[in-house]
Amino acid sequence: MKVTRGYSGGVVRFHPVATIGNFDGHHIGHKALLETVVQAARRAQGTALAVTFDPHPAKILAPQADLRFLTSFEDKLARFEEAGIDEVVFLEFNEAFAKLSPGDFAEQVLHRGLQLKEIFVGQHFAFGHKRVGTIDDLIALGRRFGFQVHPVSPVTAAGAVVSSTRIRRLIHQGQVEQAAALLGRQYAIAGVVLPGAHRGQTLGWPTANLRLPDDRVVPSDGVYATVTLWNQQRYDSVAYIGTRPTFDAGVRLLEVYMLDANPELYGQSITVQFVERVRGDIHFDDGEALSRQISLDVERARALLRRHHATAVGL
């Protein structure tokens, strides 16, 4: 898969077929859209393009916002490649770009720059300065500049449109199982294991500690049944997110306890997939009370993971 930055590099493509968007999360709606683009490009023996933005438009239009993402840059590229996209084009989103009128955007970017022949976008696609351009405007501009516009119906689940905003809200609420249904996979956070205070070891529940990324969506504080990926292996685990209020609340961390393994993980990169929430965060009177609760949490997590694994293999 090719990665290109900008739209005026004189790149020659045969019958470019594209879609455009932020694609944060690469959820089941994005997946369906990308599959449609790839299929159309293959029929025309053309090039399947995914056009996206760097930086995210919100960083320019609302710099004060606390912007958190569902996917890292590397994961986003991997999902594009997995979908069969031939080329990802990153458009630099700056103040000048944001001020392009719908007509200028269609002519300069889509027509002259990318030389598109077909573009697939959602029915509610908005573009141009202050997002005043509508899908009907794009269709008319496509006729003018020689590219065909294909409006795509949104994917729905549980009676509502699947969107990155909806998924972020579910994860913030700790509803990671519902979020996974919309993502098409478990939500995950990766990081390097840091040395901790060894309280878990003292209590009999040694944990691997990760610093939570500043730019990623993080599930609400509490305990989760998880699967941890390390060294190309998958391990059932239990994860805690919070500030450890029993021991004088500190920095918010992600702590992971491996259920049936105890590898040396300091300095290692691991990925934690969130399967289902076990409980919220609780303050305990002492370490003994916390240890008893962790024992209950582990048994509950085992049950949830057994059910998850059975469902995954269709049992």
Side-chain angles (χ1 to χ4, degrees), residues 115-193:
Q115 302 174 17
L116 297 187
K117 296 301 181 184
E118 300 180 63
I119 184 169
F120 290 79
V121 291
Q123 293 176 337
H124 302 292
F125 180 72
F127 65 105
H129 184 49
K130 296 186 178 179
R131 296 172 57 86
V132 297
T134 67
I135 189 67
D136 290 335
D137 295 325
L138 187 62
I139 292 171
L141 289 164
R143 293 194 188 102
R144 177 181 172 186
F145 295 117
F147 58 84
Q148 188 174 3
V149 178
H150 303 279
V152 179
S153 300
V155 172
T156 61
V161 172
V162 176
S163 70
S164 300
T165 299
R166 181 181 173 192
I167 294 169
R168 289 188 197 100
R169 182 165 56 249
L170 287 170
I171 294 171
H172 277 307
Q173 295 169 348
Q175 300 182 59
V176 293
E177 186 179 21
Q178 294 90 327
L182 305 186
L183 285 167
R185 65 189 184 281
Q186 269 65 50
Y187 183 66
I189 291 177
V192 175
V193 177

Side-chain angles (χ1 to χ4, degrees), residues 45-266:
Q45 296 184 321
T47 304
L49 299 179
V51 182
T52 188
F53 306 100
D54 186 32
H56 191 287
K59 288 190 174 182
I60 303 300
L61 301 176
Q64 74 284 354
D66 182 18
L67 189 62
R68 302 293 181 102
F69 299 105
L70 295 166
T71 41
S72 66
F73 179 82
E74 293 76 15
D75 190 32
K76 180 180 284 192
L77 287 181
R79 298 291 172 185
F80 280 132
E81 187 164 24
E82 185 180 90
I85 291 296
D86 298 311
E87 183 179 352
V88 180
V89 179
F90 285 94
L91 303 180
E92 181 183 0
F93 197 95
N94 51 36
E95 292 185 4
F97 188 93
K99 291 178 180 178
L100 287 175
S101 69
D104 288 342
F105 175 80
E107 181 178 11
Q108 295 177 27
V109 180
L110 304 183
H111 173 51
R112 297 188 185 279
L114 300 174
Q115 302 174 17
L116 297 187
K117 296 301 181 184
E118 300 180 63
I119 184 169
F120 290 79
V121 291
Q123 293 176 337
H124 302 292
F125 180 72
F127 65 105
H129 184 49
K130 296 186 178 179
R131 296 172 57 86
V132 297
T134 67
I135 189 67
D136 290 335
D137 295 325
L138 187 62
I139 292 171
L141 289 164
R143 293 194 188 102
R144 177 181 172 186
F145 295 117
F147 58 84
Q148 188 174 3
V149 178
H150 303 279
V152 179
S153 300
V155 172
T156 61
V161 172
V162 176
S163 70
S164 300
T165 299
R166 181 181 173 192
I167 294 169
R168 289 188 197 100
R169 182 165 56 249
L170 287 170
I171 294 171
H172 277 307
Q173 295 169 348
Q175 300 182 59
V176 293
E177 186 179 21
Q178 294 90 327
L182 305 186
L183 285 167
R185 65 189 184 281
Q186 269 65 50
Y187 183 66
I189 291 177
V192 175
V193 177
L194 306 171
H198 302 290
R199 291 196 183 99
Q201 185 82 43
T202 302
L203 295 171
W205 308 100
T207 61
N209 301 331
L210 300 181
R211 181 180 292 112
L212 292 167
D214 294 333
D215 62 346
R216 294 290 305 282
V217 178
V218 176
S220 59
D221 290 358
V223 177
Y224 295 83
T226 56
V227 173
T228 298
L229 281 57
W230 172 68
N231 198 26
Q232 299 182 326
Q233 298 293 321
R234 298 171 62 86
Y235 300 88
D236 285 353
S237 53
V238 181
Y240 165 78
I241 294 176
T243 58
R244 303 161 307 285
T246 302
F247 301 103
D248 299 324
V251 177
R252 193 175 185 225
L253 290 176
L254 168 59
E255 300 182 339
V256 185
Y257 170 69
M258 313 286 265
L259 292 182
D260 299 303
N262 188 25
E264 178 55 63
L265 294 175
Y266 289 132

Side-chain angles (χ1 to χ4, degrees), residues 25-47:
H26 273 262
H27 53 62
I28 59 175
H30 293 144
K31 182 179 179 181
L33 178 60
L34 293 171
E35 287 177 350
T36 301
V37 170
V38 170
Q39 290 167 3
R42 298 294 178 266
R43 286 195 298 269
Q45 296 184 321
T47 304

